[in-house]
């Protein structure tokens, strides 16, 4: 697990940050139960839950059959009867087979009961492209559940965010969908651990201050945008980068504040253009800060086709730091 | 594993008062459903509803086997289960009419009756969806170790959806205290069971998960009590889940707009002759627990109350608009 640098500062991978957060929350609260395919004995296919069964036992760290509808629904049953389940979907793409439980049951449960119960439940789903996993194992699924009031949807882009978001999600009395990115699992980073490290599951976060334009990105795209900023820095361009981070409930106020200063907006997401969250952000910014915009909001997205398997094709589909940098320069020069 | 059709005779131990109480509960459900139907005809009720006249014995027999701290999930055809479990008639009626004071504040309706104070974890309008949730409640019960049981109700048509199979397998592999109660009323919407399913006894499906499968006459409330009582006993003793198939019939159509013309009159008549309320009444009269006159008095007393509840609900105010914005998130 993580290497402690000072009393509270640690340096770990994204993967380890997830495991640390889960272990700490399970130690703190005996009602936290982990379930998923191969999460116990094998420690998860991406090894985020390694060692948890040894520490917490088979009752609390449970391998499930391959039954996403069954065990996500069972998670709901646990959540409304006194436990705090954390359910892992091995690949976010499998949301498709338990969509009913998430969209119709979990998201609406509290509401339809007239507030009789809370639904303190976490669903961790591992998504994202770049590992040559093909069309059914590479989606971030960020927008699949975006249109469902009653859910929180968060997207950790770094070890720090993964740690703080998962801890906060476990403590949240609402159902929280944590969309992790498998391409980030090996990334390392420093963060404050313990209570200081909790992330408020409320709004987007500023990750790089700037003045020439506002770039809003999520998951793996945050890192690529930061790289793009390094590239354009040589040309003297200073974009501001915001990590979208919390897709639902969506709070664009930090983006509005930023655009009021920078007067330009680019959204960057690892998902298709139509129905993407970038479209929603662009619409809300247009509503709230139209007069501050010097040019129409610009969206960088995946093209409108499934993810191809072949390495150069997949690379061509994903927005690269260089490609994002070109867009930044063009927008800067165009205005 | 073969289907089991014989059960312990625990109903023999029910005292007269308990039997009369079960009779009253069945009559209450019947009158409630009849009154809801009348509300439709009078235009007082909107949307849709799925009534359970003819299936009262399943709800009442099953609920009688449970403890106060047990968990229950049911379906959109769940008025009977909710009432049998003690959901207050007036607040249930208000909910179904969408009025202020309803159990779910008017945000659930007929298909989503829920009452956490009675372990009624919810009514599910997506076929099969309640089963995995009941399995989770069963896991919760197992982890807590207080001997609670989780019971889930669903229809014959629901045994063809994946959630049913995933739930049975999960309950089996984790040996959970779950009782799966299938109300086989021979139709899923307008489709006869045999058009969608290759077996007559759905309880055989339990064998695929190495679970016991029970078949019981769902129109005999005492037989239901015996069979489900055995299943609950197993669950409480840590022996795991059971699938109980209750053979029954809905007197009316699938939903309020369905005249059910797809059913042969002879079939309907045969089932009407097996009306569960009439059967219990005959038995109680025969055993001299109740006289005909007393049963009639019970009927009129409950009816007067039901009409009062219905009238009051019809006069009740609509919910305040602000409630519709509440309870989305905590
Ligand atoms: C997943 C799903 N598919 C279809 C429907 C529409 N539908 C509602 S009730 C019903 C029939 C269900 O039959 P059964 O399980 O036998 O229950 P019953 O209505 O007879 O009590 C159907 C098809 C639904 N609600 N959910
Ligand atoms: Mg049916």
């Amino acid at each position: 697990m993580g290497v402690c640098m000072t009393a509270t500062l640690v340096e770990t991978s994204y993967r380890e940050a997830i495991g640390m957060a889960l272990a700490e929350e399970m130690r703190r609260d005996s009602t936290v139960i982990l379930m998923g395919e191969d999460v116990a004995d094998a420690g998860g296919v991406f090894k985020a839950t390694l060692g948890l069964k040894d520490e917490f036992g088979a009752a609390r760290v449970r391998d499930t059959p391959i039954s996403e509808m069954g065990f996500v629904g069972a998670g709901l049953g646990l959540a409304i009867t006194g436990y705090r389940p954390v359910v892992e979907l091995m690949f976010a793409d499998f949301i498709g087979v338990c969509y009913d439980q998430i969209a119709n049951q979990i998201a609406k449960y509290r509401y339809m009961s007239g507030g009789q119960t809370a639904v303190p439940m976490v669903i961790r789903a591992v998504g994202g492209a770049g590992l040559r996993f093909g069309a059914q194992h590479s989606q971030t699924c960020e927008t699949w559940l975006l249109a469902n009031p009653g859910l929180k949807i968060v997207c950790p882009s770094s070890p720090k965010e993964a740690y703080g978001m998962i801890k906060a999600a476990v403590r949240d009395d609402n159902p929280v969908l944590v969309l992790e990115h498998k391409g980030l699992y090996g990334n390392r980073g420093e963060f404050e651990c313990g209570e200081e490290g909790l992330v408020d599951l409320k709004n987007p976060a500023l990750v790089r201050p700037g003045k020439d334009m506002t770039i809003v990105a999520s998951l793996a795209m945050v890192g690529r945008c930061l790289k793009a900023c390094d590239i354009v820095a040589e040309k003297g361009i200073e974009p501001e980068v915001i990590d979208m981070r919390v897709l639902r409930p969506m709070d664009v106020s930090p983006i509005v504040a930023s655009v009021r200063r920078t007067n330009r907006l680019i959204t960057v997401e690892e998902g298709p253009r139509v129905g993407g969250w970038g479209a929603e952000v662009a619409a809300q910014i247009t509503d709230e800060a139209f007069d501050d915009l010097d040019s129409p909001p610009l969206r960088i997205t995946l093209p409108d086709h499934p993810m191809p398997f072949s390495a150069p094709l997949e690379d061509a589909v994903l927005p690269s730091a260089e490609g994002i940098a070109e867009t930044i320069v063009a927008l800067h020069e165009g205005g | 594993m073969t289907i089991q059709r014989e059960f312990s005779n625990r109903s023999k131990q029910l005292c007269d008062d308990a039997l009369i109480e079960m009779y009253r509960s069945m009559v209450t459900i019947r009158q409630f459903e009849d009154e809801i139907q009348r509300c439709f005809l009078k235009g007082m009720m909107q949307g849709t509803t799925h009534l359970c006249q003819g299936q009262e014995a399943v709800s009442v027999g099953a609920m009688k086997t449970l403890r106060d701290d047990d968990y229950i999930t049911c379906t959109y055809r769940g008025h009977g289960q909710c009432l049998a479990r003690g959901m207050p008639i007036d607040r249930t009626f208000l909910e179904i009419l969408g009025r202020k004071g309803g159990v779910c504040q008017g945000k659930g309706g007929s298909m989503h009756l829920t009452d956490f104070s009675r372990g009624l974890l919810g009514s599910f309008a997506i076929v099969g969806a309640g089963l995995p949730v009941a399995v989770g409640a069963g896991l919760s019960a197992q982890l807590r170790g207080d001997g609670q049981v989780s019971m889930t109700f669903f229809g014959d048509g629901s045994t063809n959806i994946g959630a049913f199979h995933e739930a049975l397998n999960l309950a089996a592999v984790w040996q959970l205290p779950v009782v799966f109660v299938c109300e086989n009323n021979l139709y899923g919407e307008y489709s006869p069971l045999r058009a969608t399913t290759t077996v007559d006894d759905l309880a055989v499906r339990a064998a695929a998960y190495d679970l016991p499968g029970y078949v019981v006459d769902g129109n005999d409330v005492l037989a239901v009590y015996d069979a489900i009582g055995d299943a609950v006993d197993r669950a409480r003793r840590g022996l795991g889940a059971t699938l109980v198939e209750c053979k029954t019939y809905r007197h009316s159509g699938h939903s309020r707009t369905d005249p059910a013309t797809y059913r042969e009159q002879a079939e309907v008549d045969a089932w009407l002759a097996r009306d569960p309320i009439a059967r219990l009444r005959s038995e109680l009269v025969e055993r001299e627990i109740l006289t005909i006159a007393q049963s009639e008095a019970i009927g009129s007393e409950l009816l007067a109350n039901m009409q009062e509840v219905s009238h009051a609900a019809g006069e009740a105010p609509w919910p305040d608009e602000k409630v519709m914005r509440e309870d989305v998130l905590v």
Side-chain angles (χ1 to χ4, degrees), chain B residues 195-208:
Chain B
T196 58
T197 310
T198 52
V199 292
D200 287 317
D201 291 325
L202 298 164
V204 297
R205 296 189 165 179

Side-chain angles (χ1 to χ4, degrees), chain A residues 167-246:
Chain A
K167 283 177 76 85
V170 171
R171 297 181 192 195
D172 204 297
D173 282 333
N174 297 291
V176 184
L177 180 63
V178 182
L179 297 172
E180 299 164 7
H181 195 298
K182 62 176 92 64
L184 300 176
Y185 262 53
N187 285 8
R188 301 191 71 84
E190 272 181 23
F191 55 87
E192 295 274 324
C193 61
E195 299 301 298
E196 302 299 305
L198 258 80
V199 166
D200 217 353
L201 305 181
K202 274 211 179 104
N203 34 41
L206 179 67
V207 287
R208 176 171 175 138
K211 59 177 177 46
D212 295 319
M213 64 191 64
T214 301
I215 303 178
V216 186
S218 63
L219 293 169
M221 293 301 116
V222 175
R224 294 189 182 205
C225 289
L226 292 173
K227 254 192 219 140
C229 290
D230 290 340
I231 297 171
V232 301
E234 291 162 14
K235 291 193 156 57
I237 308 173
E238 295 173 38
E240 178 147 299
V241 180
I242 291 176
D243 181 351
M244 188 60 200
R245 198 165 78 148
V246 181

Side-chain angles (χ1 to χ4, degrees), chain A residues 69-70 101, chain B residues 127-132 158 160-168 180:
Chain A
M69 185 174 8
Q101 282 296 338
Chain B
V127 165
L131 281 78
S158 319
N160 288 326
I161 200 161
F164 166 84
H165 297 275
E166 295 194 13
L168 258 71
F180 294 94

